[in-house]
Amino acid sequence: MPQTRRIDHVDTYHGVQVADPYRWLEADVRENKEVADWVEAENRYTAQFLESIPQRDAIRKRLTELWNYEKLGTPFKAGGRYYFFRNDGLQNQSVLYVRKSLKDEPEVLIDPNTWSEDGTVALAGVRFSDDGRYLTYAVQEAGSDWRVWKVMEIESRQVLPDELRWIKFNSPTWTPDGNGFFYARFPEPDPEARFQNLNTNQAVYYHRIGDSQEEDTLVFHRPDHPEWGYHCNVTEDGRYLIITVHVGTADKYRIFYRDLLDPYAMPIPLVDHFEDEYSFIGSDGPVFYFLTDLDAPRKRVIAIDIREVPRTIEQSGEGAPEKQPLPIREIVPQGENTITGVSYVGNLFFVETLQDAVTRVALYQRDGSFLRNIDLPGIGTASGFGGKQSDTETFYSFSSFATPPSNYRYDIFTGKSELLNRAQVDFDPEQYEVKQVFCTSKDGTRVPLFISHKKGISLDGNCPTLLYGYGGFAISMTPSFSISRLAWMEMGGVFVLANLRGGGEYGEEWHLAGTKLNKQNVFDDFIAAAEWLIANKYTQPKKLAIQGGSNGGLLVGACETQRPDLFGACLPSVGVMDMLRFHKFTAGRYWVDDYGSSDNPEEFAALLKYSPYHNIKPGTCYPATMVLTADTDDRVVPGHSFKFAAALQAAQSCDNPILIRIESRAGHGAGTPTSKLIENAADQWAFLVKTLDMNVEFPGNSGDAGK
């Protein structure tokens, strides 16, 4: 096992000294030779281990066979045409197609596979002008969060000279005349630190087609609030620009609006605090519709008529006028289930909710009266339902663990769903079953689990089981289709998805119960799920693996260091592992909403107690672990995983392997080419086959890929 150089570095937090012996591994691998040499040595060690696993080639081959099916994205309509993404099976990137009607033959509009030989340059976003003349699209290189937005004239396929840089976490919004769009960008970063610098001082600009970015008009900027970030919408009638302001990942927004008919108009504050969610849905003239959690932790739909809002200059502090309550009219009240999304299409509200993490969709009229439900085919996840207020149709997709994606056209007048296509994957869904159970966490909280596996397994405690979780940022984990998970189940594994506190499955109260000083609840929920699986004879510790990415990587790291006896293998991916310093890099400052900050004494004490990097204890037998990260991850910088892996390797007291797999020219996940996805999944499953001592048999072989 590689040995990593230690340094005598100590930080003092609120009078507490905290050692950081691997601080030097925070340096950018692209700029620091010592870190680059360390990465090369670790990857070489990991490769030697993985290459020694005889089943690896068979796993990769089967994954490739399963992956090789036509993937069709949910269709959508824009500017009088229909668009969809398609991947013929093993293309590294999906291709954008266009057609004038659903009956016409589709034509290629953008094929990002022509942009690079290795497939690491991706199409990462598209926005169309209402007049159907232009498309602006985002180019993402090597998985970075930075996007370069370009402009194409659709009819001629001509790419215009317009090129917009230093944009992340933001998409343009066109004005109805098609002459330009609003967007938000950051200042150009230091070239040597563009993958690590904090992202601050975002500002809103207007870009007119044909101009250079330097000529763009500054529309909104608050240099007195460098932490503010922005998202823009232009109302469908073209009258108003809506500027949604955020300071972190929490759905707590300020709202400004600007009258676009008045060239001298200034943005007017509508919501002047960050206390509640106000997610813009749409408008009818001066009546704005929002999804909010104001007095509704499971959310509701409201209307605000801006003509009824008192006009005051934005002020705060002593002498500021007393705030007047907003003239809110409730459209769709809070219900038993959490609202996860709302679209305003065909003058109807399409309201998506979760019932124990299963999608439900209902339609409401503009006055809030219930119209009908959309019947969905089973336990799974539906998404889509986009469009314009004038549309008479919308589109959606449905999938589950053992149900490949199916795309539907929904007729708004008749309420009928028409199946357009269903993915044809090389497996029999009738051989698998999905069920939902509930376990009890340490404090008595009821935690949902989805369990999926081949039918007829024996509950004798010997099933290799993969437990996956996330538990953060109000993000809901729902049943969806995954080729890699299908391969895992085909190999005889049980897949389990845990809906942990910190997510959004049961609304804001569920989310807050897994944040800041309550973050330990998330780990307790995950540990309770593992113990339930063992108690109910699905598996045993040496046959149980845990997996999670990003915030889920933190989850795996924390549970591994708290309960090393409970797991046979751990797969933390792109995880937040140093909870004392995460807010000092790139987008990390946004996460203070969920995690708290080491700058706060009380929150520091809570963070130190579970921070994976700081809770590794020398002389402990840790489960077999393969840490996964990527050199261009500029969201959770790879230094988190580097330091965690180095410390875990130094502390390990038994023969269980501690590896780190560092992908090149890849980032946090988005835009990863198919070839890298297959290699990554093959390596993870091979690692589990070896460390969980699995006997693997694939369709069509006689078991020679077994032990």
Side-chain angles (χ1 to χ4, degrees):
M1 189 179 298
Q3 296 298 310
T4 305
R5 179 173 68 90
R6 294 170 60 91
I7 60 174
D8 294 324
H9 185 98
V10 176
D11 293 310
T12 301
Y13 298 86
H14 313 290
V16 179
Q17 290 192 325
V18 181
D20 189 356
Y22 301 106
R23 173 70 64 85
W24 65 275
L25 284 171
E26 290 180 354
D28 192 333
V29 65
R30 291 166 295 272
E31 306 291 339
N32 186 290
K33 185 179 185 305
E34 187 179 12
V35 175
D37 290 344
W38 180 87
V39 166
E40 183 180 357
E42 290 284 353
N43 270 343
R44 188 165 53 245
Y45 176 72
T46 298
Q48 289 172 352
F49 182 90
L50 295 173
E51 288 166 2
S52 71
I53 302 172
Q55 303 93 332
R56 184 185 182 212
D57 287 342
I59 293 170
R60 185 193 299 111
K61 179 176 181 293
R62 183 55 182 155
L63 275 166
T64 303
E65 292 171 351
L66 286 170
W67 224 290
N68 191 14
Y69 71 95
E70 183 184 44
K71 303 165 188 69
L72 296 169
T74 308
F76 59 96
K77 193 175 182 180
R81 298 182 180 91
Y82 294 88
Y83 298 88
F84 66 96
F85 285 91
R86 175 183 179 272
N87 189 305
D88 66 13
L90 296 176
Q91 287 175 292
N92 276 320
Q93 301 291 341
S94 293
V95 179
L96 179 63
Y97 285 81
V98 59
R99 53 186 170 188
K100 292 183 179 179
S101 77
L102 292 177
K103 296 180 180 179
D104 292 334
E105 282 297 313
E107 300 176 1
V108 173
L109 184 62
I110 298 178
D111 183 0
N113 295 289
T114 64
W115 294 347
S116 63
E117 291 186 5
D118 62 0
T120 59
V121 182
L123 175 59
V126 292
R127 292 294 184 272
F128 298 84
S129 62
D130 289 346
D131 60 9
R133 184 178 179 187
Y134 295 117
L135 154 71
T136 181
Y137 63 95
V139 179
Q140 175 191 29
E141 185 169 355
S144 170
D145 279 335
W146 291 116
R147 308 287 195 266
V148 177
W149 285 83
K150 300 186 177 186
V151 178
M152 173 187 287
E153 188 178 59
I154 296 173
E155 193 66 36
S156 67
R157 308 294 200 266
Q158 179 185 0
V159 179
L160 305 183
D162 306 57
E163 190 169 278
L164 307 180
R165 294 182 174 272
W166 311 122
I167 301 172
K168 63 167 64 175
F169 316 133
N170 198 265
S171 297
T173 180
W174 287 87
T175 52
D177 58 16
N179 290 331
F181 49 79
F182 296 94
Y183 71 100
R185 76 167 190 253
F186 292 99
E188 182 175 352
D190 182 335
E192 294 185 357
R194 62 193 176 110
F195 296 112
Q196 290 195 320
N197 273 2
L198 274 177
N199 304 140
T200 56
N201 285 300
Q202 195 178 37
V204 177
Y205 292 83
Y206 174 73
H207 176 77
R208 183 175 293 276
I209 299 303
D211 288 351
S212 67
Q213 189 170 20
E214 290 73 22
E215 298 174 279
D216 289 351
T217 302
L218 178 64
V219 175
F220 191 73
H221 183 214
R222 290 293 296 267
D224 55 327
H225 292 290
E227 75 280 8
W228 281 15
Y230 308 101
H231 176 76
C232 299
N233 294 95
V234 174
T235 57
E236 280 193 33
D237 59 11
R239 178 68 185 270
Y240 301 102
L241 170 68
I242 311 297
I243 302 173
T244 302
V245 187
H246 62 88
V247 292
T249 56
D251 295 328
K252 309 295 180 186
Y253 305 133
R254 288 189 176 212
I255 303 292
F256 293 79
Y257 69 94
R258 177 182 173 182
D259 188 341
L260 296 179
L261 296 186
D262 182 353
Y264 303 105
M266 297 294 291
I268 297 171
L270 180 62
V271 178
D272 61 357
H273 57 78
F274 292 111
E275 297 170 7
D276 306 291
E277 176 178 359
Y278 287 88
S279 293
F280 181 71
I281 298 169
S283 68
D284 282 312
V287 179
F288 296 171
Y289 300 115
F290 294 94
L291 176 64
T292 185
D293 60 4
L294 172 67
D295 301 324
R298 293 183 301 281
K299 305 187 184 181
R300 58 181 176 146
V301 178
I302 61 170
I304 300 175
D305 189 331
I306 60 173
R307 296 169 299 186
E308 300 175 4
V309 177
R311 299 289 180 88
T312 59
I313 299 174
E314 184 186 16
Q315 296 182 37
S316 61
E318 188 176 349
E322 184 177 346
K323 293 181 182 178
Q324 299 296 316
L326 287 171
I328 288 173
R329 177 166 56 91
E330 185 172 83
I331 305 295
V332 180
Q334 173 180 248
E336 293 183 2
N337 299 327
T338 300
I339 298 177
T340 57
V342 181
S343 56
Y344 188 39
V345 184
N347 287 322
L348 295 174
F349 294 103
F350 285 70
V351 179
E352 300 175 50
T353 62
L354 286 182
Q355 182 177 345
D356 290 331
V358 175
T359 301
R360 299 285 184 262
V361 184
L363 273 61
Y364 294 84
Q365 301 186 78
R366 278 191 297 182
D367 62 1
S369 58
F370 171 78
L371 182 61
R372 69 176 82 101
N373 291 315
I374 297 179
D375 294 328
L376 300 173
I379 295 177
T381 300
S383 61
F385 308 104
K388 298 285 189 181
Q389 290 170 225
S390 57
D391 286 346
T392 59
E393 62 184 351
T394 187
F395 302 89
Y396 68 94
S397 66
F398 177 86
S399 72
S400 188
F401 294 124
T403 304
S406 303
N407 291 317
Y408 295 85
R409 175 187 177 273
Y410 184 77
D411 189 307
I412 294 175
F413 285 150
T414 66
K416 301 295 185 182
S417 291
E418 174 191 358
L419 177 64
L420 298 177
N421 49 68
R422 177 174 288 129
Q424 302 300 311
V425 185
D426 181 24
F427 87 114
D428 180 6
E430 295 301 318
Q431 294 184 12
Y432 298 85
E433 63 178 283
V434 179
K435 60 184 173 183
Q436 187 179 45
V437 301
F438 295 84
C439 69
T440 302
S441 192
K442 184 177 181 180
D443 63 356
T445 299
R446 187 170 176 259
V447 177
L449 308 177
F450 289 103
I451 303 178
S452 185
H453 52 77
K454 279 184 176 180
K455 292 178 179 177
I457 64 169
S458 299
L459 295 182
D460 57 4
N462 288 312
C463 297
T465 299
L466 179 62
L467 173 62
Y468 181 91
Y470 187 80
F473 301 101
I475 295 173
S476 301
M477 296 288 104
T478 58
S480 60
F481 187 73
S482 161
I483 282 294
S484 60
R485 291 172 182 172
L486 173 63
W488 169 255
M489 293 187 291
E490 191 179 71
M491 290 160 53
V494 174
F495 177 76
V496 183
L497 174 66
N499 297 115
L500 313 172
R501 278 176 285 185
E505 292 86 351
Y506 293 106
E508 186 60 5
E509 293 174 344
W510 184 261
H511 168 225
L512 293 177
T515 64
K516 294 188 175 179
L517 302 183
N518 297 319
K519 187 65 178 177
Q520 182 60 41
N521 286 336
V522 184
F523 314 137
D524 290 343
D525 290 354
F526 204 52
I527 289 168
E531 292 176 334
W532 187 95
L533 291 166
I534 293 167
N536 285 272
K537 303 299 183 182
Y538 278 90
T539 192
Q540 55 183 298
K542 69 178 183 179
K543 292 283 189 179
L544 175 60
I546 53 174
Q547 182 189 44
S550 194
N551 175 73
L554 158 64
L555 169 72
V556 173
C559 290
E560 173 176 9
T561 52
Q562 290 182 18
R563 289 293 307 275
D565 61 304
L566 193 56
F567 314 109
C570 300
L571 294 169
S573 179
V574 293
V576 188
M577 299 302 196
D578 184 339
M579 299 308 298
L580 305 186
R581 289 177 54 78
F582 69 85
H583 59 302
K584 297 182 180 294
F585 300 94
T586 60
R589 65 180 183 84
Y590 296 132
W591 314 333
V592 170
D593 287 342
D594 247 50
Y595 297 149
S597 169
S598 59
D599 296 335
N600 176 294
E602 189 178 20
E603 292 170 351
F604 158 73
L607 290 164
L608 182 61
K609 194 171 182 180
Y610 72 77
S611 177
Y613 173 57
H614 297 97
N615 282 279
I616 296 170
K617 297 177 176 60
T620 302
C621 179
Y622 287 102
T625 302
M626 185 163 69
V627 181
L628 299 107
T629 188
D631 61 2
T632 316
D633 189 344
D634 50 1
R635 191 174 308 178
V636 180
V637 292
H640 281 280
S641 293
F642 293 176
K643 292 164 62 174
F644 180 73
L648 204 60
Q649 287 175 341
Q652 182 65 304
S653 69
C654 59
D655 293 335
N656 294 334
I658 306 294
L659 312 176
I660 181 169
R661 185 188 188 279
I662 305 150
E663 188 67 78
S664 62
R665 285 188 58 77
H668 200 62
T672 304
T674 297
S675 57
K676 287 183 181 290
L677 292 173
I678 292 174
E679 287 293 327
N680 187 300
D683 286 351
Q684 291 189 65
W685 294 171
F687 181 77
L688 295 187
V689 165
K690 173 72 172 178
T691 55
L692 300 184
D693 192 26
M694 292 176 62
N695 185 19
V696 179
E697 186 171 326
F698 293 102
N701 71 33
S702 58
D704 57 342
K707 288 187 179 180

